[in-house]
């Protein structure tokens, strides 16, 4: 009887040891998968950032220190500039960033589509782009609701007034 109990204890110990070994192996595999997933996500993130940078880098001049891969103005800086100076001359801005006017217009449209800027009015006849932020849009909406039926000229004048207030 003692021999049987001793064998059962040995078998239980061996079974527990095998379970612990299996658990440890599964833990290591989970860690490896998690690590690989993190690496993949990080790599995809870097690729996305690089792809975005490649799409925008032509729009910004290289810095004075000769490092042509480091733009002196980032997209965020450009957007902040638009917020501070909502009306820009297309030709002047294109010249400043060493791009053509159509390339600049396309980049402005891309910024709108990406949700980086709210909205803008492109007036190629006057060689201008007017950035309109959420606050301006709300004021224009309020103006239209308050006035009822308004002409495009009235909206344009009100927009100019709102921009001047800034």
């Amino acid at each position: 009887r003692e021999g049987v109990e001793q064998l059962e204890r040995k078998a239980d110990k061996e079974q527990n040891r095998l379970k612990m070994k299996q658990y440890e192996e599964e833990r290591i595999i989970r860690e490896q998968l998690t690590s690989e997933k993190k690496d993949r996500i990080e790599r995809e993130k870097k690729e996305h950032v690089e792809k975005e940078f490649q799409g925008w880098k032509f729009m910004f001049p290289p810095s004075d220190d000769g490092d042509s891969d480091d733009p002196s103005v980032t997209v965020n800086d450009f957007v902040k500039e638009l917020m501070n100076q909502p009306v820009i001359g297309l030709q002047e801005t294109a010249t400043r960033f060493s791009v053509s006017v159509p390339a600049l217009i396309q980049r402005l449209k891309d910024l709108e589509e990406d949700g980086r800027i709210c909205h803008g009015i492109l007036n190629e006849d006057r060689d201008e782009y007017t950035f309109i932020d959420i606050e301006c849009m709300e004021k224009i909406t309020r103006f239209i609701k308050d006035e009822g039926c308004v002409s495009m000229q009235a909206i344009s004048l009100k927009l100019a007034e709102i921009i001047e207030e800034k």
Side-chain angles (χ1 to χ4, degrees), residues 1-10:
R1 177 124 170 97
E2 281 182 31
V4 172
E5 289 177 5
Q6 202 175 24
L7 284 173
E8 285 177 352
R9 276 183 275 167
K10 269 188 171 179

Side-chain angles (χ1 to χ4, degrees), residues 40-82:
R40 182 181 49 81
I41 290 170
E42 186 64 29
R43 189 174 53 252
E44 288 173 357
K45 192 176 184 181
K46 284 180 182 178
E47 288 171 2
H48 174 74
V49 168
E50 178 64 22
K51 184 178 178 182
E52 182 176 349
F53 172 73
Q54 292 301 324
W56 281 96
K57 78 175 186 178
F58 79 90
M59 190 166 169
F60 304 103
S63 60
D64 293 336
D65 62 6
D67 184 7
S68 61
D69 289 338
D70 183 24
S72 59
V73 179
T74 66
V75 175
N76 287 337
D77 291 337
F78 181 71
V79 170
K80 286 178 188 172
E81 250 183 67
L82 273 177

Side-chain angles (χ1 to χ4, degrees), residues 75-88 96 117 129-133 135-136 162-166:
V75 175
N76 287 337
D77 291 337
F78 181 71
V79 170
K80 286 178 188 172
E81 250 183 67
L82 273 177
M83 290 177 180
N84 292 330
Q85 179 70 35
V87 180
I88 60 170
R96 182 169 160 228
I117 58 177
Y129 178 84
T130 305
F131 168 68
I132 303 173
D133 62 12
E135 184 182 332
C136 287
I162 291 169
I163 291 173
E164 277 296 313
E165 289 174 3
K166 289 186 150 211

Side-chain angles (χ1 to χ4, degrees), residues 83-137:
M83 290 177 180
N84 292 330
Q85 179 70 35
V87 180
I88 60 170
L90 295 174
Q91 186 62 50
E92 176 188 326
T93 305
T95 301
R96 182 169 160 228
F97 292 112
S98 303
V99 296
S100 66
V101 171
L104 174 64
I105 291 170
Q106 184 58 50
R107 287 299 173 197
L108 289 166
K109 288 178 182 177
D110 290 346
L111 283 171
E112 285 183 31
E113 287 175 15
D114 292 345
R116 293 232 174 139
I117 58 177
C118 177
H119 187 67
I121 298 173
L122 179 63
N123 186 338
E124 290 183 74
D125 294 336
R126 293 183 59 192
D127 188 46
E128 285 183 347
Y129 178 84
T130 305
F131 168 68
I132 303 173
D133 62 12
I134 298 287
E135 184 182 332
C136 287
M137 291 291 261

